[in-house]
Amino acid sequence: MNLPLAGVGQRRSSAGRVLALVALLVVALLVLVPTQALAQEAGSDGQALSPLPGIELTDGMDDYELPVQLLLLLTVLSLAPAIIVLMTSFTRLVVIFSILRTALGTQQSPPTQVIIGLSLFLTLFIMYPVFSTVHEDALVPYMEGEVTQQVALDRAVAPMRGFMLQQTREKDLMLFMDLADIEVFDDAEAVPFHVLVPAFVISELRIAFQIGFMLFLPFVIVDLIVASVLMSMGMMMLPPVMVSLPIKLLLFVLTDGWYLIVQSVVEGYL
């Protein structure tokens, strides 16, 4: 009985060694980039290294060197799932759809992949104005060499902070301010992300569970009615789920449930 577990452990350890080797290779590439080549790219006149190949910064602005840029890029890519889950509308959407599936009692229908995919594309739809602002104010100027990476990062952070502040409950924000021993902020731009992000997440979870409770009520009533009817008819051996499930699906389809839920959730962000 222990042999399969041992095999799994060996495969996991092998996979861990491979990942560690890849990480070491990446670090080696970042550290061992020849400084002579960087000096040639920088130019003989001492200008700063451009942020991307073929891009030159104007007005003599300094920027990070190539190894640091690659390290920052890898860091952003590794944190991308956490950014999508914790700093956008994805959390509220995926929780609501998961509760809806549980309320319907369909177990694996719709599949988890469909729920995540729908939540992701609805997140892109809801966050499109924010992403457009980030693209126009931060990414495009940086790609054209007009601003440094730090300035582009500051411009990209501002729309995300505004979106999260708009959706965060004041009580939740005050909670983490008290935990961080912060009394007051001068303006919205002074709110640090280590305070704003957890406050935003618990606010999103609160709203998601409130909507989930409202979704659960009609389906619970259907289950109670079906169970009572079966008990009164003496059909105790028939599982109530076999009768209530098609009724709940029919009720959900007749009321155009997907349309109403998506409409209410999306309008909550507009």
Side-chain angles (χ1 to χ4, degrees):
M1 296 297 293
N2 295 329
L3 291 179
L5 296 178
V8 171
Q10 292 176 358
R11 288 194 294 269
R12 289 181 178 177
S13 61
S14 300
R17 288 194 293 269
V18 172
L19 292 176
L21 180 59
V22 172
L24 289 176
L25 291 176
V26 171
V27 174
L29 288 176
L30 295 177
V31 175
L32 298 179
V33 172
T35 56
Q36 293 82 1
L38 294 177
Q40 292 177 0
E41 292 184 11
S44 58
D45 54 353
Q47 295 180 351
L49 193 66
S50 60
L52 292 174
I55 298 177
E56 295 182 358
L57 292 174
T58 58
D59 300 332
M61 293 182 293
D62 295 331
D63 206 354
Y64 300 112
E65 293 186 352
L66 183 59
V68 180
Q69 294 179 21
L70 294 177
L71 181 60
L72 292 176
L73 178 60
L74 292 174
T75 303
V76 171
L77 291 177
S78 63
L79 295 177
I83 294 174
I84 294 176
V85 171
L86 300 179
M87 297 176 62
T88 64
S89 59
F90 181 85
T91 300
R92 184 190 301 186
L93 292 167
V94 74
V95 171
I96 291 174
F97 293 146
S98 299
I99 293 177
L100 173 62
R101 183 176 64 179
T102 304
L104 286 172
T106 53
Q107 296 181 354
Q108 297 299 323
S109 182
T112 303
Q113 293 84 349
V114 175
I115 291 178
I116 294 177
L118 178 61
S119 302
L120 180 60
F121 277 95
L122 286 177
T123 299
L124 295 178
F125 178 82
I126 294 170
M127 301 294 297
Y128 180 78
V130 178
F131 292 157
S132 298
T133 304
V134 173
H135 179 267
E136 295 174 1
D137 296 344
L139 183 60
V140 172
Y142 176 68
M143 295 292 291
E144 294 178 354
E146 299 177 358
V147 296
T148 61
Q149 287 181 348
Q150 185 60 44
V151 174
L153 181 61
D154 294 338
R155 292 184 180 181
V157 163
M160 296 295 299
R161 180 185 283 111
F163 170 80
M164 288 190 291
L165 281 174
Q166 186 179 4
Q167 303 297 328
T168 302
R169 191 173 57 165
E170 183 178 356
K171 180 180 179 181
D172 298 329
L173 186 60
M174 292 296 297
L175 168 64
F176 288 96
M177 289 176 58
D178 294 338
L179 295 176
D181 292 330
I182 299 175
E183 296 183 356
V184 66
F185 295 115
D186 296 333
D187 52 13
E189 296 182 356
V191 180
F193 271 87
H194 75 277
V195 172
L196 179 57
V197 172
F200 171 75
V201 172
I202 64 175
S203 296
E204 290 290 284
L205 290 175
R206 179 185 63 87
I207 297 175
F209 276 87
Q210 287 178 347
I211 298 176
F213 172 76
M214 298 302 297
L215 292 174
F216 242 106
L217 282 180
F219 300 118
V220 171
I221 294 175
V222 172
D223 289 332
L224 291 176
I225 293 175
V226 171
S228 300
V229 171
L230 292 178
M231 287 286 292
S232 63
M233 296 175 62
M235 304 175 66
M236 293 186 244
M237 300 301 295
L238 179 64
V241 178
M242 294 185 61
V243 180
S244 63
L245 179 57
I247 296 177
K248 290 189 289 187
L249 291 178
L250 180 61
L251 177 64
F252 189 72
V253 171
L254 291 178
T255 57
D256 204 355
W258 289 111
Y259 176 88
L260 295 176
I261 293 173
V262 171
Q263 180 186 24
S264 61
V265 172
V266 173
E267 288 181 349
Y269 288 98
L270 302 180

